[in-house]
Amino acid sequence: MNGGLLVAGTTSDAGKSVVTAGICRWLVRQGVKVAPFKAQNMSLNSFVTREGAEIGRAQAMQAQACRIEPTALMNPVLLKPGGEQSSQVVLLGRPVGELSARGYHGGRQQRLLGTVLDCLAELRGTYDAVICEGAGSPAEINLRRTDIVNMGIARNARLPVLVVGDIDRGGVFASFFGTVALLSPEDQELVAGFLVNKFRGDVGLLEPGLDMLRDLTGRRTYGVLPFRHGLGIDEEDGLRVSLRGTVRESAVAPPVGEDVLRVAVCAVPLMSNFTDVDALAAEPGVVVRFVDRPEELADADLVVVPGTRGTVRALEWLRERRLADALVRRAAEGRPVLGVCGGFQILGARIEDDVESRRGRVDGLGVLPVRVRFAREKTLTRPSGVALGERVDGYEIHHGVATVEGGEPFLDGCRVGQTWGTHWHGSLESDGFRRAFLREVAAAAGRRFVPAPDTSFAALREEQLDRLGDLIEQHADTDALWRLIESGAPQGLPFIPPGAPA
């Protein structure tokens, strides 16, 4: 078997990442050697592979669904927004420069097509099947000429296309029909059919519409996935706490101790890797919320200043909203604060930035004895160590180089009283360390909170991925899906006018 499939969507957030992960987990449980692929991803949530390459977190999670190690081949192009008009371009896991949207779509994107196709070909030569994820909608006719992630990759690699639509948003039949009808005849030849996502109610009531859709387009629907809480994976962008929203949303486990622990996460601009707090949210009795006002910190037992793609901009935002003053007061009062990556840099005494913001020397909040200098080379590592008597694993993605000038050592950063800072993302996924850290926070906050002794973050992720695989197995026509992956799009699919504009 040397199969492949492109999972496209009628819109962004239609469920492409979830469906891709679910198909991957279903296939691997059938004994198929499978890998994920997304030619181009735009996300501030990224991950570091073992070889030190930066890729989107969604592809790292999809690799876990395949039970393989993620590599740069699975996400050759990653765009990390730095504002409304520009993004850092990460190619094969390494940053290669900043480009405006016009500059990228004006020519650079199409020049990357060869690299993207080479990566896909290498994966297809290694695995039985490669399940590709598209981006946005394949019917974005203004971008089709330079597209390398939707029909551009499907056409060049002859991949069948499955279009996912979120029926919970409404208008899914019009979205399916319109998506096909806005594609060129050559693109339409590869669109095999549809998959309905997030359906509520009796499927029997939907079936007449699916039959009419088939009559109109000549294309079948490969499945109707019911609406379920707990079916997401790591978000590309947004403000949802992905694991809490997926594993704990429908039935929040009660606290083990007498009290809950309240965690407030500062919703800074260009927030990156906010998935760091997923492991906290997965703990019974821990309540996580994102905040943007100083009064929302008042009842928090722990405040997290997360990573950001714009450290100086985030610092200014904190000052504008008076959150900076509240953080300084908390630190002085000995109330727990945790800064991660950009948040760690913000808590320091001074920032010298001629790379990211190009603002030069900027005063930080001064609650940690740390000076940060931004280097042009990005640090991309997977460190391990010991903190609070427990083993910790993490990953680093940053341009800022920290010089620690005091305090107690804490991972690669430091601790002063109950203020903690580190560049390590993912450290709270280490179960023993997370429990030890929460015990310290609870003691400092005067809460009778007790971490659950048996919460395994890795096990929760596996449970999550198995649920996605179950969803495909139980609610999709897996025999038809298998044929599609193995043999490609059916021959003789009709053209639906008007097609793409000339």
Side-chain angles (χ1 to χ4, degrees):
M1 181 180 182
N2 183 16
L5 176 69
L6 175 69
V7 178
T10 56
T11 62
S12 295
D13 203 32
K16 297 183 291 292
S17 296
V18 166
V19 170
T20 300
I23 293 173
C24 287
R25 178 50 61 102
W26 161 64
L27 284 173
V28 81
R29 294 195 307 206
Q30 308 307 307
V32 177
K33 190 179 177 186
V34 59
F37 180 78
K38 186 164 185 174
Q40 172 196 295
N41 200 346
M42 177 173 280
S43 179
L44 288 170
N45 285 335
S46 57
F47 184 74
V48 179
T49 67
R50 291 203 182 278
E51 71 268 30
E54 186 179 9
I55 66 171
R57 276 197 68 99
Q59 280 60 66
M61 283 291 289
Q62 289 162 357
Q64 187 174 347
C66 298
R67 296 179 178 146
I68 58 176
E69 276 291 322
T71 73
L73 293 174
M74 298 170 186
N75 179 207
V77 181
L78 173 64
L79 305 178
K80 302 195 72 174
E84 296 296 325
Q85 299 293 329
S86 67
S87 293
Q88 183 181 67
V89 181
V90 179
L91 179 62
L92 293 174
R94 294 288 174 180
V96 294
E98 297 273 341
L99 276 181
S100 67
R102 183 177 294 275
Y104 184 67
H105 290 287
R108 178 64 181 269
Q109 181 182 32
Q110 198 167 32
R111 291 197 295 272
L112 296 173
L113 180 61
T115 299
V116 163
L117 291 171
D118 288 346
C119 291
L120 178 57
E122 187 170 342
L123 288 173
R124 296 186 80 178
T126 305
Y127 293 90
D128 299 328
V130 179
I131 308 302
C132 307
E133 179 187 344
S137 163
E140 292 168 350
I141 54 179
N142 57 314
L143 302 178
R144 177 61 184 91
R145 182 177 61 83
T146 57
D147 170 50
I148 65 170
V149 65
N150 289 308
M151 300 313 298
I153 193 78
R155 281 269 293 279
N156 278 278
R158 303 307 299 171
L159 292 170
V161 179
L162 183 68
V163 181
V164 178
D166 180 354
I167 198 169
D168 196 50
R169 293 182 172 187
V172 75
F173 291 117
S175 297
F176 282 146
F177 184 88
T179 296
V180 178
L182 278 177
L183 300 178
S184 69
E186 296 81 5
D187 286 350
Q188 288 192 25
E189 288 177 1
L190 295 172
V191 179
F194 314 107
L195 190 99
V196 177
N197 192 28
K198 297 184 182 179
F199 179 71
R200 304 174 190 252
D202 183 353
V203 175
L205 298 176
L206 188 66
E207 286 172 350
L210 300 179
D211 292 339
M212 286 185 274
L213 182 66
R214 185 164 190 166
D215 291 342
L216 287 166
T217 67
R219 291 159 174 83
R220 59 167 298 164
T221 298
Y222 283 78
V224 177
L225 308 185
F227 186 98
R228 292 283 189 270
H229 290 298
L231 295 179
I233 62 173
D234 285 3
E235 302 289 344
E236 290 188 350
D237 285 306
L239 281 181
R240 283 175 289 179
V241 184
S242 54
L243 195 65
R244 179 172 183 265
T246 56
V247 175
R248 300 293 187 188
E249 188 173 24
S250 56
V252 178
V256 175
E258 297 179 44
D259 289 341
V260 298
L261 209 61
R262 297 171 178 84
V263 178
V265 185
C266 296
V268 298
L270 298 174
M271 181 165 39
S272 61
N273 288 70
F274 57 84
T275 46
D276 284 331
V277 299
D278 283 1
L280 294 178
E283 282 285 348
V286 175
V287 179
V288 176
R289 67 183 189 272
F290 290 92
V291 303
D292 60 3
R293 295 182 300 181
E295 56 269 26
E296 294 177 298
L297 305 187
D299 67 343
D301 302 306
L302 169 67
V303 173
V304 178
V305 188
T308 171
R309 172 83 164 87
T311 299
V312 171
R313 178 177 170 186
L315 178 58
E316 292 173 343
W317 181 88
L318 290 167
R319 286 179 167 139
E320 289 166 2
R321 293 178 175 252
R322 295 181 293 109
L323 284 159
D325 293 337
L327 288 167
V328 172
R329 283 196 302 272
R330 280 188 68 92
E333 293 166 359
R335 303 178 66 197
V337 177
L338 171 65
V340 180
C341 200
F344 167 42
Q345 297 166 6
I346 285 168
L347 296 176
R350 191 176 73 206
I351 299 167
E352 295 180 11
D353 181 11
D354 294 317
V355 175
E356 192 174 78
S357 70
R358 297 181 175 86
R359 293 285 298 277
R361 180 171 173 170
V362 177
D363 289 334
L365 297 188
V367 296
L368 288 176
V370 175
R371 290 184 293 107
V372 176
R373 179 186 55 81
F374 274 65
R376 298 201 175 276
E377 289 296 315
K378 182 183 282 191
T379 297
L380 296 167
T381 63
R382 291 269 293 268
S384 297
V386 175
L388 302 179
E390 301 285 348
R391 178 180 170 82
V392 190
D393 296 307
Y395 57 100
E396 295 186 51
I397 306 170
H398 55 90
H399 284 279
V401 178
T403 301
V404 178
E405 299 176 328
E408 301 175 43
F410 175 64
L411 303 178
D412 71 327
C414 68
R415 168 189 183 180
V416 174
Q418 293 300 322
T419 302
W420 318 64
T422 178
H423 273 131
W424 290 23
H425 294 289
S427 64
L428 294 166
E429 295 178 20
S430 299
D431 296 328
F433 168 72
R434 182 180 65 255
R435 287 192 276 270
F437 177 70
L438 289 176
R439 282 193 291 269
E440 290 246 2
V441 169
R447 296 286 186 188
R448 289 172 293 183
F449 169 85
V450 178
D454 56 354
T455 300
S456 167
F457 189 73
L460 288 173
R461 283 198 183 279
E462 277 298 302
E463 173 189 319
Q464 182 184 19
L465 292 167
D466 276 331
R467 292 179 68 195
L468 296 179
D470 292 344
L471 195 73
I472 297 298
E473 191 167 333
Q474 295 167 10
H475 299 282
D477 185 339
T478 51
D479 289 340
L481 198 56
W482 184 281
R483 290 193 298 272
L484 186 62
I485 293 168
E486 190 173 35
S487 303
Q491 297 296 308
L493 292 169
F495 171 68
I496 307 302

